[in-house]
Amino acid sequence: MTEIEAPPHPFDAAITLTPAAGGALRGRTRPEYANMVGPFGGVTAATLVQAVQQHPDRLGDPLSLTVNYTAPIADGDFDITARAVRTNRTNQHWLLELEQDGVVATTATAVFGTRRDTWSDTEPDMPSVPSPDAVPARGLSDFIAWSHNYEMRFVEGGIPAQDAGEHPDSTTTLWVRDTPSRPLDFPALTSLCDVFYPRVFLRRGRYVPAGTVSLTVYFHADAAEIAAQGDGHILGTARAHRLSRGYFDQTAQLWGRDGTLLATTHQWVYFKD
Amino acid sequence: MTEIEAPPHPFDAAITLTPAAGGALRGRTRPEYANMVGPFGGVTAATLVQAVQQHPDRLGDPLSLTVNYTAPIADGDFDITARAVRTNRTNQHWLLELEQDGVVATTATAVFGTRRDTWSDTEPDMPSVPSPDAVPARGLSDFIAWSHNYEMRFVEGGIPAQDAGEHPDSTTTLWVRDTPSRPLDFPALTSLCDVFYPRVFLRRGRYVPAGTVSLTVYFHADAAEIAAQGDGHILGTARAHRLSRGYFDQTAQLWGRDGTLLATTHQWVYFKD
């Protein structure tokens, strides 16, 4: 009997990179992770992390990442170049560019490195919320393909219904994980950092044109802490500080169900309203 | 009579760039802004903003900036290359590298752009604190040269005295401005984003080896709001979320005295303890 191989998880298919000309890595957008225009920014960020992770010169694990979305990514192939600009004893600095047809569509800088035992503390308390099974699962919108690949259970600040009206603050808190479920790793955690819909939707009670310009992730958790999450739910909470003249910031924390602060993440978002 | 020109403010001297070979811009570290090792990271970040600001192709004002400190900067000359990787209708994406003797010592990405009127709101309240003249000015340390160029008035979380002991949280709030005073602009605001000493000092009640790895600034204020600050005090408040295995995050808000949230800023810091 021939053994039948299970197809890869859609997320793994979406971040797959193969060697291309000139030392680049070639990827391809996947319909499962399409956004309104181009791919979901979280998957693009995850693919850049993956590009470093599979690089032969890589030192250690992700520590910080900043992704700048410079131009729309069209459906189809893209090429990533990853350059280690500096390797120190315990960390390594990367510059990445994602190109399509000669246009730079995304740039990124990443810091990878090793960790060592030190004094440690987490200052904020994990938000006190009901367990995931006590919160109904609810999608973002039928029209947002990528959101179908995440199980979202909104504790507060769910995406506004039509004519919801203005909301006094921008906080969204939700349980979230890949669906079908998948063990957490650095790329999956990276993608989850962009899972929060634009805060201006919640404030205004409606959809307006908006998109991430720059996304930063700080990886607090090490590989063992991430592996310990298995395929369990992650608690994310996001808010804005100021929305003004076409831009706002969005800042978030991602917590493991065991109370580990896995990542803090920040982004700069444009909007029209 | 010959008119005597006043010498430039030390900050302006520190961020001065002149054309160098191959389209690069040459700067020089200044003893006034020296840190324990190399220059103050805030002035390096400000110099990178300045490099884009004086570029002939620059579109608009700074929106976001991420600076990665890849290697120590030695005292002396350095060269900055600034490349506009993508210019859109209303924003522009930059990649910057700072080199010394062929070693990349700093990389950065910056987004510049124009702003337009939209719905706006600032969510958090400005911290309620005494006015600057009700708070004594106090420096960081005689040994930290750059700190002598900032007037610091700590409302809470001043730098710990010897044998201060551990502190339960990492929040520092202070009034701060350049000294001698100088009108606020984008480079000066950038530098102020790095004015908070490492949060681990406050938690541990003592100095430990620590340094910024990556710094991100979101410029909420437009040029007019920044100009309106004149040379007045800025209120800064900073804290950490998690300190673990040799790294922590540090997140801060900078407020104008008029209640304008000028910038939010985040950094990733290494420490040994």
Side-chain angles (χ1 to χ4, degrees), chain B residues 8-269:
Chain B
H9 189 284
F11 184 81
D12 291 298
I15 66 169
T16 293
L17 294 168
T18 54
L25 291 165
R26 176 152 297 176
R28 188 173 176 80
T29 63
R30 305 285 295 200
E32 293 87 349
Y33 288 91
N35 205 347
M36 305 292 271
V37 177
F40 170 48
V43 156
T44 302
T47 306
L48 292 163
V49 167
Q50 177 62 23
V52 179
Q53 285 203 308
Q54 71 183 62
H55 198 289
D57 298 340
R58 187 251 305 181
L59 172 74
D61 288 324
L63 297 174
S64 80
L65 171 75
T66 293
V67 179
N68 286 6
Y69 300 92
T70 59
I73 299 176
D75 293 339
D77 290 348
F78 54 81
D79 285 344
I80 293 174
T81 53
R83 177 162 67 98
V85 291
R86 175 76 184 174
T87 300
N88 296 308
R89 200 172 52 81
T90 61
N91 70 32
Q92 189 174 50
H93 289 265
W94 292 84
L95 275 181
L96 297 109
E97 296 188 39
L98 184 156
E99 285 195 18
Q100 262 183 333
D101 297 325
V103 173
V104 178
T106 317
T107 65
T109 59
V111 187
F112 275 58
T114 55
R115 299 171 193 262
R116 63 190 173 286
D117 288 333
T118 56
W119 175 85
S120 68
D121 190 49
T122 299
E123 286 200 13
D125 291 326
M126 182 175 176
S128 177
V129 299
S131 69
D133 53 15
V135 183
R138 185 180 153 209
L140 280 190
S141 158
D142 286 349
F143 302 108
I144 301 173
W146 67 263
S147 68
H148 302 170
N149 293 284
Y150 288 101
E151 177 192 319
M152 300 185 186
R153 298 174 180 271
F154 289 95
V155 175
E156 61 175 330
I159 197 149
Q162 218 175 344
D163 306 318
E166 294 205 2
H167 196 74
D169 86 57
S170 64
T171 303
T172 282
T173 304
L174 80 165
W175 288 110
V176 61
R177 62 174 173 174
D178 291 281
T179 181
S181 70
R182 177 186 176 284
L184 193 69
D185 54 17
F186 284 106
L189 178 61
T190 303
S191 188
L192 284 169
C193 286
D194 195 35
V195 86
F196 308 95
Y197 67 86
R199 304 295 82 209
V200 70
F201 293 6
L202 180 57
R203 291 301 311 274
R204 300 296 277 163
R206 55 186 171 82
Y207 289 62
V208 301
T212 304
V213 177
S214 184
L215 168 72
T216 287
V217 179
Y218 297 137
F219 298 92
H220 291 279
D222 60 24
E225 288 172 321
I226 287 177
Q229 306 307 317
D231 65 354
H233 293 89
I234 303 301
L235 185 72
T237 185
R239 67 165 300 184
H241 292 97
R242 183 176 175 194
L243 311 91
S244 174
R245 301 206 69 196
Y247 297 96
F248 64 90
D249 70 318
Q250 185 163 315
T251 192
Q253 301 165 8
L254 277 84
W255 296 82
R257 202 165 166 187
D258 58 359
T260 304
L261 181 56
L262 302 171
T264 47
T265 177
H266 312 284
Q267 55 179 267
W268 185 250
V269 187

Side-chain angles (χ1 to χ4, degrees), chain A residues 63-64 66 68-72 83 85-86 88-91 93-97 103-104 107-124 166 168-171 200 203-204 213-216 218-222 225 239-251 253 260-262 264 266-268 270-273, chain B residues 63-64 66 68-72 83 85-86 88-91 93-97 103-104 107-124 166 168-171 200 203-204 213-216 218-222 225 239-251 253 260-262 264 266-268 270-273:
Chain A
L63 298 174
S64 79
T66 294
N68 287 5
Y69 301 92
T70 58
R83 177 162 66 98
V85 292
R86 175 76 183 173
N88 296 306
R89 200 173 52 82
T90 60
N91 70 33
H93 289 264
W94 292 84
L95 274 182
L96 297 111
E97 298 188 38
V103 172
V104 178
T107 65
T109 60
V111 188
F112 276 57
T114 55
R115 300 172 194 261
R116 63 191 172 287
D117 289 332
T118 56
W119 175 87
S120 69
D121 190 48
T122 299
E123 287 200 12
E166 294 204 0
D169 86 57
S170 64
T171 303
V200 69
R203 291 299 313 274
R204 299 297 275 164
V213 177
S214 184
L215 168 73
T216 286
Y218 297 137
F219 298 92
H220 292 278
D222 61 23
E225 288 172 322
R239 66 166 300 185
H241 291 96
R242 184 177 175 195
L243 311 92
S244 175
R245 302 207 68 196
Y247 297 97
F248 64 89
D249 70 317
Q250 185 162 315
T251 192
Q253 301 165 8
T260 304
L261 182 56
L262 302 170
T264 47
H266 312 284
Q267 56 179 269
W268 185 250
Y270 88 88
F271 75 102
K272 286 184 183 171
D273 193 16
Chain B
L63 297 174
S64 80
T66 293
N68 286 6
Y69 300 92
T70 59
R83 177 162 67 98
V85 291
R86 175 76 184 174
N88 296 308
R89 200 172 52 81
T90 61
N91 70 32
H93 289 265
W94 292 84
L95 275 181
L96 297 109
E97 296 188 39
V103 173
V104 178
T107 65
T109 59
V111 187
F112 275 58
T114 55
R115 299 171 193 262
R116 63 190 173 286
D117 288 333
T118 56
W119 175 85
S120 68
D121 190 49
T122 299
E123 286 200 13
E166 294 205 2
D169 86 57
S170 64
T171 303
V200 70
R203 291 301 311 274
R204 300 296 277 163
V213 177
S214 184
L215 168 72
T216 287
Y218 297 137
F219 298 92
H220 291 279
D222 60 24
E225 288 172 321
R239 67 165 300 184
H241 292 97
R242 183 176 175 194
L243 311 91
S244 174
R245 301 206 69 196
Y247 297 96
F248 64 90
D249 70 318
Q250 185 163 315
T251 192
Q253 301 165 8
T260 304
L261 181 56
L262 302 171
T264 47
H266 312 284
Q267 55 179 267
W268 185 250
Y270 88 88
F271 74 103
K272 286 184 183 172
D273 193 17

